[in-house]
């Protein structure tokens, strides 16, 4: 139990407008509730909620509440809210009372109006563009919700709460921040003056149920034989780049591929925000660090990749290759760390290679282009291209091998491609995954691991 302040005043009108609060205080509840109700009812409940919330803040200290277990806080809040309701003679049904208590708990304990969205596992992304526009992505489609924050101050408060959990803060002087929610969801916050229309919050929801290659086959993202070929490529230590646009499913696919790594192997993962979930016991997870408020102490992806070469890794997995660490990763792939993997933002396998080339150039090495390409050609075995199509579906559009060089050009061969054929009356993309029938260049590698029989079987199935 914690000490309460003076008893809440009984005589205030229920619809009293919210008072201004310093940014550190708990934010009052959202003006409009999440669930669709008639607007008049919404307004009445919302006014009652704000009035009760203000009384609650008058009677208890939110910092004391923060020190308690969430279940205890809920219990305390329920008691006090029931007391306030009876003192104010408010007319609320039992269901409405539960809604009010739930929303107030979400404000004191969690992320306010976003709480109902965080509880849903079908949402891939939550995108908040200022206080009155909250979008979600489900099944590859983006839609506007009816969730609103009371004002930008409340949203800013919630952003602050998220980033302070990872020891950072956002304000005018440091308006960009990456963070992570307690459940592992990845968060980006950008606030005014950089975000012109108010604080902007983007959350990539952490999925409790991780997708597997079998699930991706079920969803029609790739065919069973193609999935089998990827499993074998991963098990026989091919160096693999997963390429794709934003939100195309790169990290998901990389996570799927890591399942086929032998449990005895020592793996080091390097990520900006830990998203991968490796099953293998001998895994070391590393995470980059942004600079602190004084602008020092940053640890970049390149620092991590370089360091992990001194950690005797058997495989290096880089969450996202986006800068000069590309050079170090290529070196690692070329020097006995077979089976290393990473994702890269690119729209085609060929683009992925050009991006790697540019990233190496960013590192300031004055290497001739041909030398860099030779490095890439001998390091990378396979590029898997993920795409989010215009109907929102996610597909593996290419499984492409890097074969070698012809003159100055890296040669590629597709093993599987997705052929776009049109769309149906409901706007869904129609197409098919086609095997090219070419013999994989990693055949000998598969034979070395005793998996050439499986590879032959998968390829013959793909033609069936
Ligand atoms: N093949 C798929 N079918 C359906 N949903 C998928 C598929 N692949 C990924 N998803 C879902 O899409 C969302 C985005 O996936 P993921 O994080 O892997 O994308 P990403 O390309 O790594 O994104 P970013 O560029 O932001 O890092 C996740 O919610 C994931 O569960
Ligand atoms: Mg990703």
């Amino acid at each position: 139990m914690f000490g309460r302040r003076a008893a809440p005043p009984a005589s205030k009108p229920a619809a009293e407008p919210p008072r201004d609060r310093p940014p550190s205080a708990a934010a009052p509840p959202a003006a409009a509730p999440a669930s669709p109700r008639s607007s008049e009812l919404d307004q009445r409940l919302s006014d009652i909620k704000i009035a009760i919330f203000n009384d609650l803040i008058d009677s208890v200290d939110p910092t004391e509440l923060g020190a308690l277990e969430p279940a205890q806080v809920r219990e305390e809040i329920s008691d006090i809210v029931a007391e306030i309701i009876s003192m104010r003679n408010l007319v609320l049904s039992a269901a409405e009372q539960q809604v009010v208590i739930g929303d107030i708990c979400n404000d004191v304990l969690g992320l306010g109006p976003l709480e109902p969205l965080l509880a849903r596992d079908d949402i891939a992304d939550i995108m908040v563009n200022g206080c009155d526009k909250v979008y979600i992505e489900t099944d590859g489609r983006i839609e506007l919700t009816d969730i609103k924050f009371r004002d930008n101050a409340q949203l800013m408060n919630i952003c602050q709460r998220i980033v302070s959990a990872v020891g950072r803060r956002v304000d005018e002087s440091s308006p960009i921040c990456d963070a992570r929610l307690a459940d592992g969801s990845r968060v980006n916050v950008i606030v005014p003056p950089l975000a012109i229309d108010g604080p902007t919050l983007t959350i990539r929801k952490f999925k409790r149920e991780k997708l597997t290659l079998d699930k991706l086959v079920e969803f029609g993202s790739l065919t069973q034989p193609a999935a089998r070929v990827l499993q074998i490529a991963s098990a026989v230590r091919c160096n693999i780049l997963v390429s794709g646009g934003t939100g195309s499913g790169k990290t998901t696919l990389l996570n799927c591929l890591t399942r086929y790594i032998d449990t005895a192997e020592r793996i080091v993962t390097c990520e900006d925000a830990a998203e991968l979930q490796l099953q293998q016991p001998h895994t070391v997870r590393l995470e980059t660090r942004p600079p602190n408020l004084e602008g020092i102490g940053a640890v970049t992806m390149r620092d991590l990749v370089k360091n992990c070469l001194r950690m005797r890794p058997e495989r290096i997995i880089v969450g996202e290759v986006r800068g000069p660490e590309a050079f170090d990763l290529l070196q690692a792939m070329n020097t006995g760390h077979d089976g290393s993997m990473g994702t890269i933002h690119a729209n085609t396998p060929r683009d992925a290679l050009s991006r790697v080339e540019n990233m190496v150039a960013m590192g300031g090495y004055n290497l001739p282009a041909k030398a860099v390409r030779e490095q890439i050609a001998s390091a990378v075995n396979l590029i898997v291209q993920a795409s989010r199509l215009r109907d929102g579906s996610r597909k593996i559009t290419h499984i492409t091998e890097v074969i070698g060089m012809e003159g100055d050009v890296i040669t590629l061969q597709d093993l599987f491609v997705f052929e776009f054929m049109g769309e149906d009356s409901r706007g869904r993309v129609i197409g098919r995954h086609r095997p090219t029938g070419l013999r994989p260049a990693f055949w000998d590698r598969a034979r070395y691991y005793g998996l050439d029989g499986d590879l032959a079987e998968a390829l013959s199935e793909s033609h069936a």
Side-chain angles (χ1 to χ4, degrees), residues 298-317:
V299 178
T300 64
M301 187 61 93
R302 178 152 205 209
D303 298 330
L304 290 188
V305 176
K306 270 188 184 164
N307 189 73
C308 83
L309 288 172
R310 290 181 227 126
M311 295 170 65
R312 205 202 162 277
E314 285 178 287
R315 302 217 194 201
I316 300 171
I317 314 277

Side-chain angles (χ1 to χ4, degrees), residues 186 204 250-251 275 320:
R186 193 181 82 189
R204 161 67 41 78
K250 301 180 294 298
T251 306
E275 288 181 284
E320 193 181 318

Side-chain angles (χ1 to χ4, degrees), residues 13 48 58 96 120 128 148 157 175 224-225 271 291-292 321 341 366 425:
I48 289 179
D58 281 341
E96 285 173 337
R120 281 173 54 183
V128 183
K148 291 183 179 12
N157 235 305
Q224 183 62 53
E271 293 178 90
N292 66 11
V321 187
M341 303 177 186
N366 249 340
S425 56

Side-chain angles (χ1 to χ4, degrees), residues 121-125 137 139-140 186 204-207 209-211 215-217 219-222 244-254 275 319-320 343 345 386-388 392-396:
D121 208 32
D122 61 325
I123 296 178
D125 290 281
E137 195 220 275
D139 290 334
R186 193 181 82 189
R204 161 67 41 78
K205 279 279 309 293
F206 181 84
K207 295 254 173 181
E209 196 198 336
K210 283 284 163 205
L211 293 176
K215 275 267 177 234
L216 299 196
V217 171
F219 294 161
S221 298
L222 76 172
T246 307
S248 56
K250 301 180 294 298
T251 306
T252 304
L253 190 59
L254 182 61
E275 288 181 284
E320 193 181 318
T343 76
H345 267 255
S387 301
R388 182 168 166 268
S393 64
R394 291 175 168 100
K395 303 261 187 234
I396 306 305

Side-chain angles (χ1 to χ4, degrees), residues 235-395:
V236 304
R237 308 183 61 125
C238 287
N239 288 320
I240 304 177
L241 281 183
V242 177
S243 157
T246 307
S248 56
K250 301 180 294 298
T251 306
T252 304
L253 190 59
L254 182 61
N255 207 39
C256 293
L257 295 181
T258 59
R259 283 175 163 255
Y260 304 97
I261 297 176
D262 195 290
T263 46
E265 293 182 34
R266 174 168 166 85
I267 310 163
V268 183
T269 67
C270 305
E271 293 178 90
D272 284 316
E275 288 181 284
L276 296 171
Q277 284 189 313
L278 271 71
Q279 320 281 316
Q280 292 75 3
H282 200 159
T283 302
V284 181
R285 302 189 307 150
L286 306 177
E287 212 177 47
T288 57
R289 190 175 69 183
N292 66 11
L293 288 178
E294 286 80 44
I296 52 174
V299 178
T300 64
M301 187 61 93
R302 178 152 205 209
D303 298 330
L304 290 188
V305 176
K306 270 188 184 164
N307 189 73
C308 83
L309 288 172
R310 290 181 227 126
M311 295 170 65
R312 205 202 162 277
E314 285 178 287
R315 302 217 194 201
I316 300 171
I317 314 277
V318 179
E320 193 181 318
V321 187
R322 69 165 108 220
E325 68 275 5
F327 181 76
D328 304 273
L329 183 64
L330 289 180
Q331 297 287 326
M333 288 174 161
N334 274 326
T335 54
H337 304 95
D338 286 0
S340 293
M341 303 177 186
T343 76
I344 188 163
H345 267 255
N347 290 329
T348 63
R350 175 70 62 195
D351 278 359
L353 295 181
S354 321
R355 288 226 54 212
V356 174
E357 204 179 317
N358 290 338
M359 288 174 193
V360 171
M362 277 158 68
Y365 300 102
N366 249 340
L367 295 170
K370 188 169 182 195
V372 177
R373 283 181 206 156
E374 275 165 358
Q375 284 255 6
I376 297 173
S378 65
V380 181
N381 298 114
L382 207 64
I383 303 172
V384 188
Q385 181 70 39
S387 301
R388 182 168 166 268
L389 304 187
R390 63 165 193 266
D391 63 350
S393 64
R394 291 175 168 100
K395 303 261 187 234

